[in-house]
């Protein structure tokens, strides 16, 4: 639980500070890391908390939650099923870049009266951030695995 709190804080801080045009790739970076280290349920919780903090403190719309939770959960379940970092990346990219992007449309239409023109409208916005962040997460996991840091961290939790 302590590691989940630290990951939430780091995810919120980096997602709030390092924002490319309409992209918060570090949310997805931490989704992949949390999915691997703690599993799908903690990944969902950390993504939800990070998105909630981004909504409350940084004024982001509900997309901050929707765009993270599904990808984090799918990343965690695929990693648990296969044991491969690449599966977590695929889960994050598909879960956020496609599924969350589609789920976001009716939510924005109903909650924000946004009149989003197409069911696929958010995919070009969600996909680059999810891909960039997930690939960074993968690289981080591979480097920390090679140095032995990841094994030591996982042994403690």
């Amino acid at each position: 639980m302590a590691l989940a709190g630290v990951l939430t804080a780091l995810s919120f801080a980096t997602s709030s500070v390092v924002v490319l045009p309409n992209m918060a790739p570090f949310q997805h970076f931490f989704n992949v890391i949390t999915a691997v280290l703690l599993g799908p349920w903690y990944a969902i919780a950390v993504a939800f908390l990070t998105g909630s903090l981004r909504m409350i403190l940084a004024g982001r719309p509900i997309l901050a939650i929707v765009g993270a939770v599904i990808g984090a959960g799918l990343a965690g379940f695929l990693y648990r099923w296969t044991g491969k970092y690449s599966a977590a990346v695929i889960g994050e990219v598909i879960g956020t870049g496609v599924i969350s992007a589609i789920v976001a449309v009716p939510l924005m239409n109903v909650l924000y009266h946004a009149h989003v023109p197409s069911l696929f409208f958010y995919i070009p916005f969600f996909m680059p951030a999810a891909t960039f962040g997930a690939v960074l997460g993968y690289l981080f996991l591979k480097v920390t695995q090679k140095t032995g840091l990841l094994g030591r961290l996982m042994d403690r939790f």
Side-chain angles (χ1 to χ4, degrees):
M1 199 177 305
L3 182 57
V6 169
L7 290 169
T8 300
L10 289 170
S11 179
F12 170 70
T14 56
S15 296
S16 298
V17 174
V18 182
V19 179
L20 306 172
N22 292 320
M23 287 181 17
F26 282 98
Q27 169 84 50
H28 311 291
F29 170 85
F30 282 102
N31 284 354
V32 169
I33 305 263
T34 307
V36 169
L37 293 178
L38 300 176
W41 299 113
Y42 274 105
I44 290 168
V46 167
F48 178 80
L49 290 170
T50 301
S52 297
L53 287 169
R54 289 178 64 216
M55 280 182 62
I56 295 166
L57 299 175
R60 308 305 288 169
I62 192 126
L63 298 176
I65 294 175
V66 176
V69 172
I70 295 171
L74 190 55
F77 286 117
L78 288 178
Y79 177 75
R80 180 175 282 170
W81 186 48
T82 64
K84 296 182 182 210
Y85 300 151
S86 58
V89 170
I90 290 167
E92 178 64 27
V93 171
I94 299 299
T96 297
V98 179
I99 299 169
S100 290
I102 291 170
V103 168
V105 171
L107 286 174
M108 290 301 287
N109 285 339
V110 170
L111 297 176
Y112 293 88
H113 307 289
H115 306 293
V116 178
S118 166
L119 198 57
F120 307 106
F121 179 79
Y122 289 114
I123 291 175
F125 301 103
F126 283 30
M127 188 64 80
T131 303
F132 183 66
V135 168
L136 284 179
Y138 174 84
L139 294 173
F140 175 84
L141 289 168
K142 291 303 264 184
V143 166
T144 56
Q145 181 184 31
K146 277 190 176 184
T147 62
L149 179 63
L150 185 63
R152 288 194 308 268
L153 184 62
M154 291 179 86
D155 287 342
R156 292 182 190 239
F157 297 98

